[in-house]
Amino acid sequence: MSSNQPSTKWTKFNIAWMINLFGTAVGAGVLFLPINAGRAGFWPLVIMAILVGPMTYLAHRGLSRFVLSSAKPGSDITEVVEEHFGKTAGKLITLLYFFAIFPILLIYGNGITNTVDSFIVHQLGMASPNRALLSLVLIAVLISVMLMNERVMLKLTEWLVYPLVLILFALSVYLIPEWNGSMLQEMPTASGFITTLWITIPVLVFSFNHSPAISAFSQSQQREYQDPVLAEKYASKTLKGTSTMLLIFVMFFVFSCVLTLTPAELAQAKAENISILSFLANKFDNPYISYFGPLVAFFAITSSFFGHYLGAREGLEGLYIKMTDNKQINRKKLNYGTAVFFLLTLWGVAVINPSILGLIESLGGPIIAMILFIMPMYAIRKVPAMQRYQGQLSNIFVTVMGLIAISAVVYGLF
């Protein structure tokens, strides 16, 4: 190997991306995950924990392989879709991709404003600041980070994710003395067990979803390694690391919370629509837990915002290029143009603070599952560049889990 080729060892670059993808997956939803996943009882949760690791890893690996399968290195997901499926399908999937990710970005713009405002009022005991000004400052700071280079964004995400992991782990350990066996005695019927599993799978899929950052991540691997075989090898290795990290830290947190509370308490937390940390703080009358709640939410929303911004920007820029058929595009100008669009839309939604955002996000759920699970598996059957992945059992597993997730989300909507 020539001296100017990059090292093939596991480097800081791989670790930075592993942490960034972890940060993309762990949004503020992690604070509601124990309530949503745990109400089913302990035993369905065990099955989910066994399924969710391979499900997360194999689905995201499939999407990454899809992006890397382009004949033109450096193509993003919107360009690869057009290359493999034609112009019309390219436009349609790019449109769906954008509309699946953009609402989540709106939710994070709104969520960061609510989190900081609540912290200022309840924890610092100060008056609520002007919402329009607060949201403008917060969103402008987040977007300005995204206008810097990739290394800066990765570094900042690292700084956010380390305390997030530390707090989640510390809280999980802190709760161990409070564990009780009430959840272990909850034995659902066979039909109840299967129904619960079916309905809860999408909750875990979307809590572990880092697909909005996969295209940018795959392009980054290509730039780093140049050699397509090495790029794919290290992309897979990094994705396995991310899935393992998510499984260990997030599921430990979920199990710890579920074993601490009774089924009735989880139902109460759901009815009150408060995060698990707020509920635990009230239960144990512990001010420290209530302080950690907003902190976890802040770190989680910010790190997740960066990953979702990558996907939404890619979708919007891809749409613009496809609709205008402009080949002589100034990428820098387009980048600033999309930043202004996101700043104004996110700011507008954060000021209005609408209650319908959750509904819009859930409408994007089936689209995300289609793009993450089904599209790469379809490409393995139909696209010559991906046919080398045919005949693997993991393809059947990803397709089946994707169909289960989509059917459960659609069922949940109606």
Coordinates of all heavy atoms in Angstrom, one line a residue, residues 170-212:
A170 N -25.4 7.0 34.0 CA -25.4 7.3 35.5 C -26.8 7.1 36.0 O -27.0 6.6 37.1 CB -24.9 8.7 35.7
L171 N -27.8 7.6 35.3 CA -29.2 7.5 35.7 C -29.6 6.1 35.8 O -30.3 5.6 36.7 CB -30.1 8.3 34.8 CG -30.1 9.8 35.1 CD1 -30.8 10.6 33.9 CD2 -30.8 10.2 36.4
S172 N -29.2 5.3 34.7 CA -29.6 3.9 34.7 C -29.0 3.1 35.9 O -29.7 2.3 36.5 CB -29.0 3.2 33.4 OG -29.4 4.0 32.3
V173 N -27.8 3.4 36.3 CA -27.1 2.8 37.4 C -27.7 3.3 38.7 O -28.0 2.5 39.6 CB -25.6 3.1 37.4 CG1 -24.9 2.6 38.7 CG2 -24.9 2.4 36.2
Y174 N -28.0 4.6 38.8 CA -28.7 5.2 40.0 C -30.0 4.5 40.3 O -30.3 4.3 41.5 CB -28.9 6.7 39.7 CG -29.7 7.4 40.8 CD1 -29.0 7.8 42.0 CD2 -31.0 7.6 40.6 CE1 -29.8 8.5 43.0 CE2 -31.8 8.3 41.6 CZ -31.1 8.7 42.8 OH -31.8 9.3 43.8
L175 N -30.7 4.0 39.3 CA -32.0 3.4 39.5 C -32.0 2.0 40.0 O -33.0 1.4 40.4 CB -32.9 3.6 38.3 CG -33.3 5.0 37.8 CD1 -34.0 4.9 36.5 CD2 -34.3 5.6 38.9
I176 N -30.8 1.3 39.8 CA -30.7 -0.1 40.1 C -31.3 -0.5 41.5 O -32.0 -1.4 41.6 CB -29.3 -0.6 39.9 CG1 -29.0 -0.6 38.4 CG2 -29.1 -2.1 40.4 CD1 -27.5 -1.0 38.0
P177 N -30.9 0.2 42.6 CA -31.5 -0.1 43.9 C -33.0 -0.1 44.0 O -33.6 -0.7 44.9 CB -30.8 0.9 44.8 CG -29.6 1.4 44.1 CD -30.0 1.4 42.7
E178 N -33.6 0.7 43.0 CA -35.1 0.9 43.1 C -35.8 -0.2 42.2 O -37.0 -0.2 42.1 CB -35.4 2.2 42.5 CG -34.8 3.4 43.2 CD -35.2 3.6 44.7 OE1 -36.3 3.1 45.0 OE2 -34.4 4.2 45.4
W179 N -35.0 -1.1 41.6 CA -35.7 -2.1 40.7 C -36.6 -3.0 41.5 O -36.3 -3.3 42.7 CB -34.6 -3.0 40.0 CG -33.9 -2.3 38.9 CD1 -34.0 -1.0 38.5 CD2 -32.9 -2.9 38.1 NE1 -33.1 -0.8 37.5 CE2 -32.4 -1.9 37.2 CE3 -32.3 -4.2 38.0 CZ2 -31.5 -2.1 36.2 CZ3 -31.4 -4.4 37.0 CH2 -30.9 -3.4 36.1
N180 N -37.8 -3.3 41.0 CA -38.7 -4.2 41.6 C -39.2 -5.3 40.6 O -39.0 -5.1 39.4 CB -39.9 -3.5 42.3 CG -40.7 -2.7 41.2 OD1 -41.4 -3.3 40.5 ND2 -40.5 -1.4 41.1
G181 N -39.8 -6.3 41.1 CA -40.2 -7.4 40.2 C -41.6 -7.3 39.7 O -42.0 -8.3 39.0
S182 N -42.3 -6.2 39.9 CA -43.7 -6.1 39.4 C -43.8 -6.3 37.9 O -44.8 -6.9 37.5 CB -44.3 -4.8 39.8 OG -43.6 -3.7 39.2
M183 N -42.8 -5.8 37.2 CA -42.9 -6.0 35.7 C -42.7 -7.4 35.3 O -43.2 -7.8 34.3 CB -41.8 -5.1 35.0 CG -42.3 -3.7 34.7 SD -43.6 -3.8 33.4 CE -44.0 -2.0 33.3
L184 N -41.9 -8.1 36.0 CA -41.6 -9.5 35.7 C -42.8 -10.4 35.8 O -42.9 -11.5 35.2 CB -40.4 -10.1 36.5 CG -39.1 -9.3 36.5 CD1 -38.1 -9.9 37.5 CD2 -38.5 -9.3 35.1
Q185 N -43.7 -10.0 36.7 CA -44.9 -10.9 36.9 C -46.0 -10.6 35.9 O -47.0 -11.4 35.8 CB -45.5 -10.6 38.3 CG -44.6 -11.2 39.4 CD -44.4 -10.3 40.7 OE1 -45.2 -9.5 40.9 NE2 -43.4 -10.5 41.4
E186 N -45.8 -9.5 35.1 CA -46.8 -9.2 34.1 C -46.6 -10.2 32.9 O -45.7 -10.1 32.1 CB -46.6 -7.8 33.5 CG -47.1 -6.7 34.5 CD -48.6 -6.4 34.3 OE1 -48.9 -6.1 33.1 OE2 -49.3 -6.5 35.2
M187 N -47.5 -11.2 32.8 CA -47.4 -12.2 31.7 C -48.5 -12.0 30.7 O -49.7 -12.3 31.0 CB -47.4 -13.6 32.3 CG -46.1 -14.0 33.0 SD -44.6 -13.8 32.1 CE -44.8 -15.1 30.9
P188 N -48.2 -11.4 29.6 CA -49.3 -11.1 28.6 C -49.7 -12.4 27.9 O -49.0 -13.4 27.9 CB -48.6 -10.2 27.6 CG -47.2 -10.5 27.7 CD -46.9 -10.9 29.1
T189 N -50.9 -12.4 27.4 CA -51.4 -13.6 26.6 C -50.6 -13.6 25.3 O -50.0 -12.7 24.9 CB -52.9 -13.4 26.2 OG1 -53.1 -12.2 25.5 CG2 -53.8 -13.3 27.5
A190 N -50.7 -14.8 24.6 CA -49.9 -15.0 23.4 C -50.3 -13.9 22.3 O -49.5 -13.3 21.7 CB -50.1 -16.3 22.8
S191 N -51.6 -13.7 22.2 CA -52.1 -12.7 21.2 C -51.7 -11.3 21.6 O -51.3 -10.4 20.8 CB -53.6 -12.8 21.0 OG -54.3 -12.5 22.1
G192 N -51.8 -11.0 22.9 CA -51.5 -9.7 23.5 C -50.0 -9.4 23.3 O -49.6 -8.3 22.9
F193 N -49.2 -10.5 23.5 CA -47.7 -10.4 23.3 C -47.4 -10.0 21.9 O -46.6 -9.1 21.7 CB -47.1 -11.8 23.7 CG -45.6 -11.8 23.8 CD1 -45.0 -11.5 25.0 CD2 -44.9 -12.1 22.7 CE1 -43.6 -11.6 25.1 CE2 -43.5 -12.2 22.8 CZ -42.9 -11.9 24.0
I194 N -48.0 -10.7 20.9 CA -47.6 -10.5 19.5 C -48.1 -9.1 19.1 O -47.4 -8.3 18.4 CB -48.3 -11.6 18.6 CG1 -47.5 -12.9 18.9 CG2 -48.2 -11.2 17.1 CD1 -48.2 -14.1 18.4
T195 N -49.3 -8.7 19.5 CA -49.9 -7.4 19.1 C -49.0 -6.3 19.7 O -48.7 -5.3 19.0 CB -51.3 -7.2 19.7 OG1 -52.1 -8.3 19.3 CG2 -52.0 -5.9 19.2
T196 N -48.6 -6.4 21.0 CA -47.8 -5.5 21.7 C -46.4 -5.3 20.9 O -46.0 -4.2 20.7 CB -47.5 -5.9 23.1 OG1 -48.8 -6.0 23.8 CG2 -46.6 -5.0 23.8
L197 N -45.9 -6.4 20.6 CA -44.6 -6.5 19.9 C -44.7 -5.7 18.5 O -43.9 -4.9 18.2 CB -44.2 -7.9 19.6 CG -42.7 -8.3 19.6 CD1 -42.0 -7.8 20.8 CD2 -42.5 -9.8 19.5
W198 N -45.8 -6.0 17.8 CA -46.0 -5.4 16.5 C -46.2 -3.9 16.6 O -45.5 -3.2 15.8 CB -47.3 -6.1 15.9 CG -47.8 -5.5 14.6 CD1 -47.0 -5.4 13.5 CD2 -49.1 -5.0 14.3 NE1 -47.8 -4.8 12.5 CE2 -49.0 -4.5 13.0 CE3 -50.3 -4.8 15.0 CZ2 -50.1 -4.0 12.3 CZ3 -51.3 -4.3 14.4 CH2 -51.3 -3.8 13.1
I199 N -46.9 -3.4 17.6 CA -47.2 -2.0 17.7 C -46.0 -1.2 18.2 O -45.7 -0.1 17.9 CB -48.4 -1.7 18.6 CG1 -49.7 -2.2 17.9 CG2 -48.5 -0.3 19.0 CD1 -50.9 -2.2 18.7
T200 N -45.1 -1.9 19.0 CA -44.0 -1.2 19.6 C -42.7 -1.3 18.8 O -41.8 -0.4 19.0 CB -43.7 -1.9 21.0 OG1 -44.9 -2.1 21.7 CG2 -42.9 -0.9 21.9
I201 N -42.7 -2.2 17.8 CA -41.5 -2.2 16.9 C -41.1 -0.9 16.3 O -40.0 -0.4 16.3 CB -41.5 -3.4 15.9 CG1 -41.1 -4.7 16.6 CG2 -40.7 -3.1 14.7 CD1 -41.3 -5.9 15.8
P202 N -42.2 -0.1 15.7 CA -41.8 1.2 15.1 C -41.3 2.2 16.1 O -40.4 3.0 15.8 CB -43.2 1.7 14.6 CG -44.0 0.5 14.5 CD -43.6 -0.5 15.5
V203 N -41.7 2.1 17.4 CA -41.2 3.0 18.4 C -39.7 2.9 18.5 O -39.0 3.8 18.6 CB -41.9 2.7 19.8 CG1 -41.3 3.6 20.9 CG2 -43.4 3.0 19.7
L204 N -39.3 1.6 18.6 CA -37.8 1.3 18.7 C -37.1 1.7 17.4 O -36.0 2.2 17.4 CB -37.6 -0.1 19.1 CG -37.9 -0.5 20.5 CD1 -37.8 -2.0 20.8 CD2 -36.9 0.2 21.5
V205 N -37.7 1.3 16.3 CA -37.1 1.6 15.0 C -36.8 3.1 14.9 O -35.7 3.5 14.5 CB -38.0 1.2 13.8 CG1 -37.5 1.8 12.5 CG2 -38.1 -0.3 13.7
F206 N -37.7 4.0 15.2 CA -37.5 5.4 15.1 C -36.7 6.0 16.2 O -36.1 7.1 16.0 CB -38.9 6.1 14.9 CG -39.6 5.6 13.6 CD1 -40.8 5.0 13.7 CD2 -38.9 5.7 12.4 CE1 -41.4 4.5 12.5 CE2 -39.5 5.1 11.2 CZ -40.8 4.6 11.3
S207 N -36.7 5.3 17.3 CA -35.8 5.8 18.4 C -34.3 5.5 18.1 O -33.4 6.2 18.6 CB -36.2 5.1 19.7 OG -37.5 5.4 20.1
F208 N -34.1 4.5 17.2 CA -32.7 4.1 16.9 C -32.4 4.6 15.4 O -31.3 4.3 14.9 CB -32.6 2.6 17.0 CG -32.4 2.1 18.4 CD1 -33.0 2.7 19.4 CD2 -31.6 1.0 18.6 CE1 -32.9 2.2 20.7 CE2 -31.4 0.5 19.9 CZ -32.1 1.1 21.0
N209 N -33.3 5.4 14.8 CA -33.1 5.7 13.4 C -32.1 6.8 13.2 O -32.2 7.9 13.8 CB -34.5 6.2 12.9 CG -34.4 6.8 11.5 OD1 -33.6 6.3 10.6 ND2 -35.1 7.9 11.3
H210 N -31.0 6.5 12.4 CA -30.1 7.6 12.1 C -29.9 7.7 10.6 O -28.9 8.2 10.1 CB -28.7 7.4 12.8 CG -28.2 6.0 12.8 ND1 -28.8 5.0 13.7 CD2 -27.3 5.3 12.1 CE1 -28.1 3.9 13.5 NE2 -27.2 4.0 12.6
S211 N -31.0 7.3 9.8 CA -30.9 7.3 8.4 C -30.7 8.7 7.8 O -30.1 8.8 6.7 CB -32.2 6.7 7.8 OG -33.3 7.4 8.1
P212 N -31.2 9.8 8.4 CA -31.0 11.1 7.7 C -29.5 11.5 7.5 O -29.2 12.2 6.6 CB -31.7 12.1 8.7 CG -32.7 11.3 9.4 CD -32.1 10.0 9.6

